[in-house]
Amino acid sequence: MSLTIGVDVGGTKVAAGVVDEEGRILERIGRLTPARDQVKTAETICEVIVELAGRHDVAAVGLGAAGFVDESRATVRFAPNLAWREEPLKRRVEDMVGLPVVVENDANAGAWGEARFGAGRGEENLVCVTIGTGIGGGLILGGRLYRGRWGMGGEVGHFRVVPDGRLCGCGNRGCWERYASGSALGLEAKALGMTESGAQITEAAAAGRRDALTAFGVVGSWIGQGLADLAALLDPGCFVIGGGVSAAGDILLLPVREAFATRLTGRAHRTLAEIRLAELGPDAGLVGAADLARSG
Ligand SMILES: [Zn+2]
């Protein structure tokens, strides 16, 4: 049995686990990310790998990193929430741990995890959309992770949906993630006079509060519109929706599915892609990165 280590490197924490060929996590450990220091962040990653490799016979390591990763899957070119700029992460970690390492964008790793072991099992063409503070995207086309020519593909959160719209963290205005993410949900709730944020808005909606349901309706509608646009381009068999906002379940999915079904081009004459909730939760990136280290 071949074991690999998956590491999910986020802005606040480093989560690592030993994963088998069936996507099961045999052991996991975590550390806080020293996000302001790129050398210390790499050292923290190495610490968790060395600790796990000391207790398990592992063949390779996959790192899922929250940033733009180059096409050779070696360098993090830019990470908005970490200190990395042109960080040679593959070489740095390989030198310290003595195992083969692949680096992958975290949303891509998560999409691969869902496609292999989660909600997208058995589907060769799918789009994974992770809805948190922003929106991450991962494309599986023809059974393979699609990275684009330079490794930057699948950044669906930055489709411009409103000319001169809300300012985005990427520097552009009107990006989809400014209207269809957790932050957008907070903005809609605030505009309706709500003072709650995040999980509290979901709780209020679950309790049937009209203002919270309205906020979900607006954001869900933006999400469904975006999925319809993605379906026009890619015609996937299913969409997998993950991230913190997806914890709302049907409260979110109902307006998403309605907007998707009423706005998709050619809707009366095609099979509608399924819209499913992700199954692996916060483990998707770790499990996907570990599997990519195995399968390349
Ligand atoms: Zn943007």
Short mmCIF file of all heavy atoms in Angstrom, two decimals, residues 157-158 168-172 175 177-178, ligand 1:
data_model
loop_
_atom_site.label_atom_id
_atom_site.label_comp_id
_atom_site.label_asym_id
_atom_site.label_seq_id
_atom_site.Cartn_x
_atom_site.Cartn_y
_atom_site.Cartn_z
N GLY A 157 -13.41 32.83 -9.42
CA GLY A 157 -13.86 33.93 -8.56
C GLY A 157 -13.62 35.30 -9.17
O GLY A 157 -14.21 36.29 -8.74
N HIS A 158 -12.74 35.36 -10.17
CA HIS A 158 -12.36 36.66 -10.71
C HIS A 158 -12.91 36.92 -12.10
O HIS A 158 -12.43 37.81 -12.81
CB HIS A 158 -10.84 36.83 -10.62
CG HIS A 158 -10.38 36.73 -9.20
ND1 HIS A 158 -10.52 37.76 -8.30
CD2 HIS A 158 -9.90 35.67 -8.50
CE1 HIS A 158 -10.11 37.35 -7.11
NE2 HIS A 158 -9.73 36.09 -7.20
N CYS A 168 -12.28 44.39 -5.76
CA CYS A 168 -11.88 43.04 -5.35
C CYS A 168 -10.44 43.06 -4.81
O CYS A 168 -9.65 43.93 -5.17
CB CYS A 168 -11.97 42.11 -6.56
SG CYS A 168 -11.53 40.40 -6.21
N GLY A 169 -10.12 42.09 -3.97
CA GLY A 169 -8.76 41.96 -3.44
C GLY A 169 -7.71 41.81 -4.53
O GLY A 169 -6.53 42.08 -4.31
N CYS A 170 -8.11 41.38 -5.72
CA CYS A 170 -7.16 41.19 -6.82
C CYS A 170 -6.82 42.50 -7.52
O CYS A 170 -5.95 42.53 -8.38
CB CYS A 170 -7.72 40.19 -7.84
SG CYS A 170 -9.03 40.87 -8.88
N GLY A 171 -7.52 43.57 -7.15
CA GLY A 171 -7.22 44.87 -7.76
C GLY A 171 -8.24 45.27 -8.82
O GLY A 171 -8.31 46.44 -9.19
N ASN A 172 -8.99 44.31 -9.35
CA ASN A 172 -10.04 44.63 -10.32
C ASN A 172 -11.34 44.97 -9.61
O ASN A 172 -11.47 44.78 -8.41
CB ASN A 172 -10.27 43.45 -11.28
CG ASN A 172 -9.14 43.31 -12.28
OD1 ASN A 172 -8.43 44.26 -12.57
ND2 ASN A 172 -8.98 42.10 -12.81
N CYS A 175 -15.58 41.62 -9.64
CA CYS A 175 -15.35 40.18 -9.74
C CYS A 175 -16.51 39.40 -9.10
O CYS A 175 -17.12 39.84 -8.13
CB CYS A 175 -14.07 39.78 -9.04
SG CYS A 175 -12.59 40.41 -9.86
N GLU A 177 -16.56 36.94 -7.11
CA GLU A 177 -16.47 36.65 -5.67
C GLU A 177 -16.90 37.81 -4.79
O GLU A 177 -17.20 37.62 -3.63
CB GLU A 177 -15.07 36.15 -5.29
CG GLU A 177 -13.97 37.17 -5.29
CD GLU A 177 -12.69 36.61 -4.66
OE1 GLU A 177 -12.40 35.42 -4.84
OE2 GLU A 177 -11.99 37.38 -3.98
N ARG A 178 -16.97 39.01 -5.36
CA ARG A 178 -17.45 40.13 -4.56
C ARG A 178 -18.98 40.12 -4.42
O ARG A 178 -19.54 40.89 -3.66
CB ARG A 178 -16.98 41.47 -5.16
CG ARG A 178 -15.47 41.61 -5.23
CD ARG A 178 -14.81 41.54 -3.85
NE ARG A 178 -15.23 42.63 -2.99
CZ ARG A 178 -15.70 42.48 -1.75
NH1 ARG A 178 -15.81 41.27 -1.22
NH2 ARG A 178 -16.05 43.51 -1.04
ZN ZN B 1 -10.92 39.73 -8.38
#
